[in-house]
Amino acid sequence: MRHWIALLAALLPLQVLALSGEEVMKKSQAAFLYAGKDFKARVLMKLINKDGQERLRELAMLRRNSGEAGGEQKFFMYFFQPADVKDMTFMTFKYPAKDDDRWLFVPALNMVKRIAAQDKRSSFVGSDFTYEDVSGRDLGDDSHVIEREDKVGARDCYVVKSTPKAGDADFGHKLTWVDKANFLPLKEEQYDRRGARYKLFTADEVADVKGFPTVTRRTMKNLQSGHRSEVTYVKSDYDLGIDDSLFTERFLRQPPRKWID
Amino acid sequence: MKKTSLVELSIRHPRWVLALAGVLTLLFLTQFPGIRTDTNPKHMLPETSDVRVWNDRVDRTFGLYEDTIVVGVENDAGVLNRETLGRIVRITDAILRLEGVAARDVSGFTTITNVSAEGGTLTVGPLMPAAPRQAAEVETLRRALFGNPLFVNRIVSADGKTSAVYVPLEKGANGAEIASRIRDIVAKEKGPERYYIAGDPVARDTFGAEMFKLMAIFSPIAGMIMFAAIQFMFRNLALSAAMMGVSMVAIIWSMGLLIGAGFPVHIMSSMAPVFLMAIATDSIHIFNEFYFRYQERGDRLAAIRETMAAVSRPVRYTALATAAGFAVLLFMNIVPVKVFGALIAFGTVVLRLLSFSFIPAVLTFVREDRLARAAASESVEADRTARILGRLGAFGAARPGPVVAAALVLLAIAVWGTSKINVNNNLVAWFKASSDIRVADTAMNRALGGTSLGYLVVQSEEADFMKRPEAVRWLQDLQRHLEGLPAVGKTFSVADYVKRINRVLHDDEAKHDVVPDTSEAIGQYLFLFSMSAKPSDLDNVVTPDYRAANLWIQLKTWDAAAMRQVIAAAADYQKASPLSVTVKPAGIAYFNLVWNDEVLGDMVRGFAIALFVVFAILALNFRSLKWAVVGYMPLLFTILLIYGVVGFAGKDFDMPLSVLSTLSLGMAVDFAIHFVGRFRQRLSETGGGLIEALQWTAARPGKGIVRNAVLFAAAFSVMLFAPLTPYVAVGAFIVAMMLLSALFTLLLLPALVMLGRRWLFQGG
């Protein structure tokens, strides 16, 4: 009995020091979506239906952080595949707690069009990832609680349960397995409002790029429709000195070759 | 001889016979707890059938659903107001939470993808993510709805008074259950709106469930009516009980065998008890003759022996005809139909076996004093019914020319009527016009593009073919061509998305509501669309490799014929504007068409076989082709007359009727077997005049025939009050068949015998 109390006493301060769900998710967001000052990768995306038929997307992605983690970000995408959308470019300015700004260049019409971003939960380029899955959901929209600790493979993880504060979200809650060491999300389960698991995110490969642990292969599977999307990052790189002036309409029409090799 | 010995055995050891029957019945009863039911009429076609395999493939390829419920919200003041929209949001929200609903692909105001341009900004997203709070938002919604042809007649009616939510179901979900939960959801809303829940799964699953319920109610009611009728006719409780006992035993044995053999009780086999009960009424001929004999002889055992000897041949052959009529179903392709045929054939054989054992055994227990009292009036001379029937037969025999001529005139009119028969099947029409399902379906089809859904899958050999302007335009023109059909309410395809995006990218100018000229533009438009739309939006209309496109066709009717017209129109269009693609129909409307054709085709084939088999049995029974031809006539006249009426009444020749037609042959011929058999027997016994023998036959076995017909008709008349139209049809058909074939047998047969006497008695 005495031993138990001693043990409990020894544990207590640790409990106090331990991270809250909020903090875990914040660190996770920083590691997963805000690593480096800027980032570049060639993204291969396979959209695979239940029948095994694939749609292919290939694009160059550039990202630049304007400030701290959780702050404003700018994205630039140039499409290689499918072949008939080659030269299409897509630009997003992401603001915390505000709708994104999005622009698209349509080569067939030689036209830049502003696209409304009324729904962050809509599909990203037809994949099972939503815009939110790609660029992050506002942490303040959910309440986060560490449910338990678990392992994904050999990695120790926090399992964080995030529940939307507003009732009108299109999902009930999600569970995120956050790596205790590098704070990358290794697995995420999204539950619909009936409480049934309907989407499963897995980080299939994590690589070290310039000292930043980076998820280089990931899958999002819709468990109800059987549709899934596999994403691979090749040629990932950080801190390249991508200039803010790149993120303009001019470059949407004339993407700089230097960045989209 | 074998049968008489069975009879001998039974009257010598009646207790043993009854005990044995009881034990066997208990044995079959032990199988009952293992009962499995299958209420889905769709399962008439096995999962391996071409149409189900193909439809499954199309569903997988295009991410579609086999079944969709359509929920309608109607407000006479228009649905575009904050209150109604708020209700639509709440209702859709609650539907999304239902188990069995494919929530991700529910289409309604809150979930459908809208492509629009406001102030130079392209918007791709849900049309109405939340209920509007201000009147201005309602106006914006109104503009979005009516500015987008994809929505009008699909999720909103042109007059703005009706809105629809399309609720696709996960595989295996029960449409009737989900529909009833949706009914609970809309019941919570107070307001001026009316709600409709329509769609094939609702009708189909409700029908399946109702059918079982009806059988559970009708079988006992039919049984009670028969019991009362027998009691009225024979005024002896033991006899009435014996008759009912025989049918109960046959039902228990048959159903026990079915369940024990591991077959699910399907909607077809759920009808077996009523059919067996009706077929059991053939034993009436035994009681009928027994009463006459007992009245003549006054000796019970001798009366039993003589009765069985006299009626054994006709009873055996009517049983054979009935069993054969059902057994031809074994040659059909549809498994539940085969099972049903085998089930009734088995039951009929059991019934006959019992007629020669169980019934004589029971007769030995009947108290003589009661019997004497009941049978007292039972003689051709004393009995009023028998006298009238005798006169009817005599009339036919005395004026054969006019009787046959009148019958021929009737026949000619009937044949003319049959030419008006319309072959069609409509699942929703199986419900009465006043039923919730019919009302909902009618209202939705009046307001919107249609509750029945068919597809045309347009396939090419080449990848990216469906991005070509000529292919997209071809689809668009095919849609316009199909929309010319009155049954087609709305169509939609990838062409609609392409045109919509083209227009929206050009500041919503109407002149850009066209297919662009290059495949690059089409590819980029669709890519742009897919950047924000739900993945299913594009998957539903085109394959990822753009080799195949799927054209959606909403039909305003569940008539199988509607989809047939669509297929024919598509073929015409393809002939007029050739393109190197194949066009194949799919979807639930197509399934219903194939299902209809398969069952109908099967039944028509079965009908042809049954016609032949019944004739063969007559020939075998009478040992004479000539007598077979004569005996065949009442059957032929009855059937043609009924179909003449069907034709004139404008009632579709549908699946239930086709099933009945096949079944009816084996039953409608029974009376002729009794009549001709007993008539020829009488003739050879007395060696007397034709007219006397005909009159006697019409009076004495004729009374049995009338009793049989009345009982049979009484049992089935219950169905006339059923809430499902196929039952009403079955009831009307059987009642008409029994009464007509009795009439033709008693009136027309004597006339034909007289007219053809030289030919019939040639050389004899």
Side-chain angles (χ1 to χ4, degrees), chain A residues 47 49-51 53-57 79 81-86 88 90 102 104-109 111 113-119 122-128 131 167-168 192-194 196 222 224-227, chain B residues 57 60-61 93 95-104 120-126 129 170 464 467 502 504-507 518-521 523-525 527-528 530-535 538-539 542-546:
Chain A
L47 322 183
N49 72 13
K50 203 171 165 181
D51 229 9
Q53 286 185 294
E54 296 182 357
R55 282 190 161 99
L56 205 69
R57 307 267 184 268
F79 288 94
Q81 292 269 10
D84 44 24
V85 304
K86 191 164 159 39
M88 206 179 231
F90 182 56
R102 296 174 189 163
L104 184 82
F105 172 64
V106 186
L109 300 175
M111 176 199 278
K113 200 83 194 169
R114 222 181 118 93
I115 299 182
Q118 59 173 4
D119 188 8
S122 66
S123 155
F124 173 71
V125 295
S127 73
D128 297 287
Y131 280 90
D168 61 349
D192 65 15
R193 291 192 300 183
R194 292 177 287 208
N222 186 321
Q224 288 171 1
S225 69
H227 197 283
Chain B
R57 212 170 84 206
R60 254 199 334 274
T61 307
D93 222 57
I95 289 172
L96 292 178
R97 291 163 189 257
L98 289 179
E99 208 68 49
V101 166
R104 62 198 168 277
T121 301
L122 182 76
T123 308
V124 182
E170 303 281 11
D464 286 336
K467 283 180 185 169
N502 195 25
V504 165
L505 285 177
H506 290 93
D507 297 320
T518 64
S519 48
E520 282 73 33
Q524 288 171 20
Y525 288 180
F527 186 71
L528 183 155
S530 75
M531 286 184 75
S532 305
K534 289 182 280 186
L538 213 50
D539 282 344
V542 70
T543 54
D545 57 7
Y546 287 86

Side-chain angles (χ1 to χ4, degrees), chain B residues 678-728:
Chain B
R678 298 296 299 281
F679 163 69
R680 291 174 78 199
Q681 213 175 18
R682 173 79 180 178
L683 211 58
S684 66
E685 277 167 20
T686 60
L690 276 182
I691 295 185
E692 185 279 328
L694 284 170
Q695 189 172 351
W696 178 88
T697 311
R700 186 155 149 178
K703 190 175 178 190
I705 287 171
V706 168
R707 280 172 156 167
N708 188 352
V710 167
L711 262 187
F712 210 121
F716 271 89
S717 65
V718 196
M719 289 199 179
L720 290 172
F721 304 101
L724 299 173
T725 59
Y727 283 99
V728 181

Side-chain angles (χ1 to χ4, degrees), chain B residues 222-441:
Chain B
M224 278 185 277
I225 289 184
M226 278 174 56
F227 187 80
I230 300 167
Q231 182 60 27
F232 175 75
M233 287 173 188
F234 296 102
R235 294 169 301 275
N236 186 307
L237 211 57
L239 283 189
S240 310
M243 185 91 166
M244 293 316 292
V246 165
S247 55
M248 285 307 136
V249 167
I251 289 167
I252 290 169
W253 288 22
S254 311
M255 297 309 277
L257 181 70
L258 176 83
I259 296 163
F263 290 104
V265 179
H266 197 271
I267 48 176
M268 289 267 332
S269 30
S270 77
M271 293 197 292
V274 175
F275 271 93
L276 286 175
M277 232 182 277
I279 293 167
T281 58
D282 203 40
S283 315
I284 217 79
H285 294 281
I286 298 173
F287 295 124
N288 188 61
E289 187 60 24
F290 175 70
Y291 268 38
F292 279 111
R293 298 265 170 184
Y294 183 76
Q295 213 273 329
E296 285 164 13
R297 297 284 304 254
D299 174 359
R300 191 170 53 180
L301 285 186
I304 296 174
R305 283 197 191 93
E306 281 177 23
T307 299
M308 295 317 287
V311 302
S312 91
R313 190 179 169 90
V315 166
R316 254 185 299 146
Y317 274 92
T318 53
L320 184 61
T322 307
F326 283 94
V328 296
L329 297 181
L330 285 169
F331 295 101
M332 309 292 100
N333 295 322
I334 295 162
V335 177
V337 172
K338 280 191 199 186
V339 170
F340 176 70
L343 185 66
I344 302 282
F346 171 78
T348 307
V349 172
V350 170
L351 280 171
R352 278 323 132 236
L353 195 67
L354 295 170
S355 299
F356 292 101
S357 53
F358 191 88
I359 290 181
V362 172
L363 289 179
T364 62
F365 290 109
V366 179
R367 280 171 55 182
E368 298 252 8
D369 54 332
R370 299 222 176 131
L371 203 55
R373 215 180 316 137
S377 65
E378 211 73 13
S379 80
V380 174
E381 297 76 29
D383 183 59
R384 204 159 62 95
T385 317
R387 274 206 315 274
I388 294 170
L389 292 174
R391 266 186 238 135
L392 188 69
F395 178 81
R399 293 187 180 75
V403 168
V404 172
L408 283 175
V409 169
L410 263 180
L411 192 70
I413 297 172
V415 169
W416 179 38
T418 56
S419 70
K420 290 174 174 285
I421 283 183
N422 183 29
V423 177
N424 189 22
N425 196 51
N426 181 332
L427 201 73
V428 174
W430 288 3
F431 293 88
K432 290 199 166 166
S434 58
S435 66
D436 283 354
I437 286 178
R438 270 284 277 286
V439 168
D441 203 69

Side-chain angles (χ1 to χ4, degrees), chain B residues 419-746:
Chain B
S419 70
K420 290 174 174 285
I421 283 183
N422 183 29
V423 177
N424 189 22
N425 196 51
N426 181 332
L427 201 73
V428 174
W430 288 3
F431 293 88
K432 290 199 166 166
S434 58
S435 66
D436 283 354
I437 286 178
R438 270 284 277 286
V439 168
D441 203 69
T442 310
M444 296 299 286
N445 281 326
R446 199 175 43 230
L448 295 158
T451 54
S452 170
L453 185 60
Y455 305 116
L456 287 178
V457 179
V458 182
Q459 286 173 299
S460 150
E461 297 292 311
E462 278 173 79
D464 286 336
F465 187 85
M466 293 304 161
K467 283 180 185 169
R468 294 191 191 171
E470 68 266 27
V472 179
R473 282 196 199 108
W474 192 85
L475 282 177
Q476 165 199 278
D477 294 346
L478 171 58
Q479 284 175 257
R480 295 300 89 76
H481 183 70
L482 294 177
E483 281 162 7
L485 297 171
V488 174
K490 178 105 186 147
T491 66
F492 113 87
S493 79
V494 67
D496 295 298
Y497 285 141
V498 170
K499 285 157 62 186
R500 178 72 194 159
I501 295 159
N502 195 25
R503 175 176 173 155
V504 165
L505 285 177
H506 290 93
D507 297 320
D508 212 6
E509 283 176 38
K511 68 171 181 186
H512 289 286
D513 209 343
V514 292
V515 178
D517 292 325
T518 64
S519 48
E520 282 73 33
I522 294 172
Q524 288 171 20
Y525 288 180
L526 292 175
F527 186 71
L528 183 155
F529 177 68
S530 75
M531 286 184 75
S532 305
K534 289 182 280 186
S536 58
D537 285 335
L538 213 50
D539 282 344
N540 287 170
V541 291
V542 70
T543 54
D545 57 7
Y546 287 86
R547 239 179 254 271
N550 184 33
L551 176 59
W552 291 47
I553 302 140
Q554 278 182 265
L555 297 165
K556 284 174 172 287
T557 165
W558 287 96
D559 281 352
M563 192 63 194
R564 205 190 308 279
Q565 288 161 13
V566 166
I567 294 167
D572 286 348
Y573 172 78
Q574 207 180 359
K575 213 176 282 167
S577 356
L579 187 76
S580 58
V581 289
T582 58
V583 178
K584 283 179 82 176
I588 186 71
Y590 176 61
F591 173 86
N592 284 341
L593 170 65
V594 174
W595 183 43
N596 170 60
D597 287 357
E598 291 263 329
V599 178
L600 228 67
D602 240 14
M603 286 303 154
V604 170
R605 198 165 53 247
F607 187 71
I609 301 175
L611 274 177
F612 175 78
V613 168
V614 165
F615 184 80
I617 288 171
L618 283 181
L620 190 70
N621 179 19
F622 302 146
R623 308 258 188 275
S624 151
L625 279 181
K626 290 175 187 172
W627 279 104
V629 169
V630 172
Y632 208 54
M633 286 307 132
L635 162 72
L636 208 62
F637 275 68
T638 304
I639 297 287
L640 281 171
L641 216 62
I642 292 177
Y643 282 115
V645 173
V646 167
F648 282 122
K651 161 103 184 70
D652 283 341
F653 182 78
D654 59 4
M655 210 183 288
L657 265 192
S658 70
V659 175
L660 267 180
S661 315
T662 313
L663 307 187
S664 61
L665 293 186
M667 300 186 287
V669 78
D670 284 7
F671 300 156
I673 291 178
H674 280 287
F675 191 95
V676 174
R678 298 296 299 281
F679 163 69
R680 291 174 78 199
Q681 213 175 18
R682 173 79 180 178
L683 211 58
S684 66
E685 277 167 20
T686 60
L690 276 182
I691 295 185
E692 185 279 328
L694 284 170
Q695 189 172 351
W696 178 88
T697 311
R700 186 155 149 178
K703 190 175 178 190
I705 287 171
V706 168
R707 280 172 156 167
N708 188 352
V710 167
L711 262 187
F712 210 121
F716 271 89
S717 65
V718 196
M719 289 199 179
L720 290 172
F721 304 101
L724 299 173
T725 59
Y727 283 99
V728 181
V730 170
F733 190 102
I734 298 270
V735 169
M737 181 182 83
M738 281 297 133
L739 300 181
L740 280 177
S741 69
L743 179 72
F744 281 125
T745 301
L746 296 179

